[in-house]
Amino acid sequence: MVKRSRIVAFLLLLLLFASTIGTTTNSILKNIKLGLDLQGGFEVLYEVKPAKKGQEIDQEVLNSTVEALDNRINVLGVSEPVIQIEGDNRIRVQLAGVSDQTKAREILSTEANLTFRNANDEIMMDGTDLVEGGAKQTFDENNKPSISLQLKSADKFREVTQEIVGMAPQNQLIIWLDFEEGKDSYQAELAKEEPKFLSNPNVNQVFNQDTVSIVGNFELEEAKTLASLLNAGALPVKLTEVYSTSVGAQFGEEALNETVFAGIVGISVIFLFMLFYYRFPGFIAVITLSLYIYLILVIFDWMNGVLTLPGIAALILGVGMAVDANIITYERIKEELKVGRTVKSAFEVGSKGAFWTIFDSNITTIIAAGVLFAYGTSSVKGFATMLIISILGSFLTAVFASRLLLGLWVKSGFLDQRPTWLGVRKKDMKDISEGYDAIDLPTRFDRWDFVKNHKIIFTISGVLFSVGLVVLILFKLNLGIDFASGTRVEVPSDKPIETEQLKEEFAKFDLEAENIVMSGDNNDVAVVRFLGVLAKEEIAELKAHFKELYGSEPNISTVSPVVGKELAKNAMIAVAIASIGIILYVSIRFEWRMALAAIVALLHDVFFIIVLFSFTRLEVDLTFIAAVLTIVGYSINDTIVTFDRMRENLAKKKRIKAYGELADVVNSSLRQTLGRSVNTVLTVVIAVVALLLFGSSSILNFSLALLIGLVVGVYSSIFIAAQLWLVMKAKELKQKGVLITEKVKRERTDEPQV
């Protein structure tokens, strides 16, 4: 008898989900803040240095600097800037959506320390003598832009002018902005065509007033900016750029559109695959995956997070990973149906059996994501944050929501006589009385002997490792500026770019453009790297020049040698910590031999990703490290699925006395999980290929590293991890003679024990 109330409950839940998603998604998407790589803007890491001799850079100074920077950003009218103190002497500033990046950088880093000096460079007055907020842009008697300053004391100005008058013929009051002691001088600047000082009026009489006008050859916008800077106040320190990156608004918008389109394509193909292969459970998966995407966006909105390009990639990747949990559960249910269980019993046993496999695989990925968050820079942290949220969201939806929705149909009785709806043909179902166990079921791969040639496979892997080592020694890695330091200029164009012309354009700035990589459909994007770190003035000139030449503002990133070394060190530490964390977890949940085999397989995967990037000369940057750590976290999923089945088969054997029994355990486990492994990897590959084909060129290397890692990961799970465990377990068997593989519960007794 079909319990229609449960089906009605399912339909009501479906209606509730659909109406909630439909009515709130628009507002959520509008609320989510886009990072600078999606709407344009720039990020700069400043090293804070003393403005005066003997000044100490402590927490109080850093806090006051952040406050001063915030005041300046208010002048720019930028909403929701990100200003963070990093370490003991660094401040990171992120400004998304800035239309004039050159002006913004100038306003941020200019000290705006105003001083009034005599011809001998002695201070007569400084910024502390001005009324707070008393600077404003005005016009002089010739209707030229000027700046009016309101002073706190007319008496002090009278005393200053009186002293200056007495210094004739050197009776000038020189107004300076950011005068550098020991470096600047009035006499030296006076001889220059464009002197550094703002103004040097002659003082021929004593003034008893509380206003001063700065008159010079100002443009209107320049005068307005200077007045705003003076009102914002002087910086208490000197700021030196040690890292910066900028993205043009047009480039950011294109990157967003391309990556969203890639996501739609990838997710659509995954949905079709699930519907085709898993039938009705696949339909449930489509519902829960849609709920998963919505849930991630809601959580990100609640967190007030900033969505970046790698973040979108993590969301799309997360869909593939969320499907994995569904596949593991559905394959378990199908196995239980095939041994003759009822639909309800198969659902309960299969769901329970899949839970810990899913839990273990998700924890290992979270370990890698957590390490990424701890050691990554801002964009990598964004990727790690989204990855962690995605894993937790997928666990909630793919495990609990999927179980709830499918459970309503199972418990309604509607599916009792319809196993084909769950992807199982009646002819494949055994009778429960035959006593079949799920692990005894025949598979499509029963004729495959994975163990027989493991020595040959080890030899081939060893040869490939040696070849890879030679490739690395000969070609080395094409390190991006993140690790090698220097400047990276990405020049987008509305027409094809000619390499020789580009070299000539850079030569105009005394820059030798030897390392040029062309990309885009029509060679309309060029990436150029230089060893030196360009100053902000040079960056401003390049941006203006290439915008006029090619119609788009180039994206420019700089990394100082100090920061480059730090990033390289942090990358190595991150990989090491992630590996150790995974070893410890797998050792606790399984055994140390499985942990060691798993980590060797992971290092094998990472090694071949690095070798292929070395051979192809693809750039190795921070997103590459993010991809490697994602593979470290994700690739082990497949290994854990295999190990989980090996543990079940070992327990069933109870005692193992011969090598052949061990080999049979490995072979059986690989055969039983191969179809599941292929399907789980395939769904993630679909998402990655979509990113690779349709996503932004900014994450091309990231996507390619993921794809290589996924393909190599399938190979290493089958032919490295499982086989290596077999070799180590065989040695243990040789030493002990018999391996007890069943879990024996200790008998409880009330009698005293000695």
Side-chain angles (χ1 to χ4, degrees), residues 193-378:
E193 210 172 297
E194 292 186 8
K196 184 179 174 181
F197 54 77
L198 298 176
S199 182
N200 63 333
N202 286 324
V203 180
N204 298 313
Q205 61 180 3
V206 177
F207 292 95
N208 188 16
Q209 61 189 48
D210 62 357
T211 56
V212 178
S213 289
I214 305 176
V215 179
N217 295 318
F218 295 119
E219 296 291 334
L220 179 60
E221 199 59 38
E222 188 183 1
K224 285 181 178 178
T225 301
L226 181 54
S228 298
L229 264 177
L230 294 173
N231 284 331
L235 286 175
V237 292
K238 285 184 180 179
L239 296 178
T240 304
E241 288 188 13
V242 292
Y243 170 89
S244 71
T245 184
S246 66
V247 179
Q250 181 185 346
F251 191 90
E253 188 179 348
E254 287 175 4
L256 175 62
N257 293 336
E258 288 169 355
T259 308
V260 168
F261 177 71
I264 292 169
V265 171
I267 291 168
S268 299
V269 174
I270 289 171
F271 281 4
L272 289 172
F273 171 79
M274 291 301 290
L275 287 168
F276 173 78
Y277 197 87
Y278 289 102
R279 314 287 175 84
F280 187 72
F283 170 66
I284 299 295
V286 169
I287 296 169
T288 56
L289 287 171
S290 303
L291 186 61
Y292 154 79
I293 295 169
Y294 173 76
L295 183 64
I296 299 306
L297 294 174
V298 168
I299 293 171
F300 211 69
D301 183 29
W302 285 347
M303 288 174 59
N304 205 28
V306 178
L307 189 63
T308 62
L309 196 58
I312 295 176
L315 177 62
I316 297 166
L317 184 65
V319 173
M321 294 170 74
V323 172
D324 288 0
N326 284 300
I327 289 173
I328 290 169
T329 304
Y330 298 160
E331 288 289 347
R332 283 275 192 172
I333 292 171
K334 285 169 69 175
E335 285 176 350
E336 298 301 333
L337 281 171
K338 286 176 181 178
V339 300
R341 290 185 185 274
T342 63
V343 170
K344 185 178 179 181
S345 176
F347 170 74
E348 288 173 353
V349 175
S351 297
K352 186 179 177 182
F355 179 84
W356 286 109
T357 306
I358 297 166
F359 181 83
D360 289 333
S361 60
N362 282 346
I363 287 292
T364 52
T365 312
I366 284 179
I367 289 170
V371 173
L372 263 179
F373 184 84
Y375 287 92
T377 58
S378 55

Side-chain angles (χ1 to χ4, degrees), residues 381-416:
K381 280 183 188 290
F383 170 78
T385 304
M386 183 60 83
L387 191 59
I388 292 169
I389 295 170
S390 296
I391 294 164
L392 296 175
S394 70
F395 195 77
L396 285 171
T397 54
V399 175
F400 297 109
S402 183
R403 188 179 295 183
L404 170 67
L405 295 176
L406 186 58
L408 288 171
W409 281 87
V410 167
K411 290 170 185 176
S412 73
F414 181 83
L415 299 173
D416 285 352

Side-chain angles (χ1 to χ4, degrees), residues 42-49 62 65 69 72-73 83-95 101-110 235 237-244 536 563:
F42 75 91
E43 174 183 345
V44 60
L45 181 63
Y46 290 116
E47 186 173 330
V48 181
K49 295 182 177 180
L62 290 172
T65 306
L69 287 171
R72 293 179 176 213
I73 291 167
I83 310 174
Q84 297 171 320
I85 295 172
E86 294 188 3
D88 298 327
N89 64 339
R90 288 181 183 170
I91 295 175
R92 188 181 297 273
V93 180
Q94 293 173 298
L95 300 180
Q101 294 181 20
T102 303
K103 176 186 173 184
R105 290 175 85 149
E106 190 66 35
I107 285 177
L108 281 178
S109 58
T110 301
L235 286 175
V237 292
K238 285 184 180 179
L239 296 178
T240 304
E241 288 188 13
V242 292
Y243 170 89
S244 71
K536 64 175 186 244
V563 174

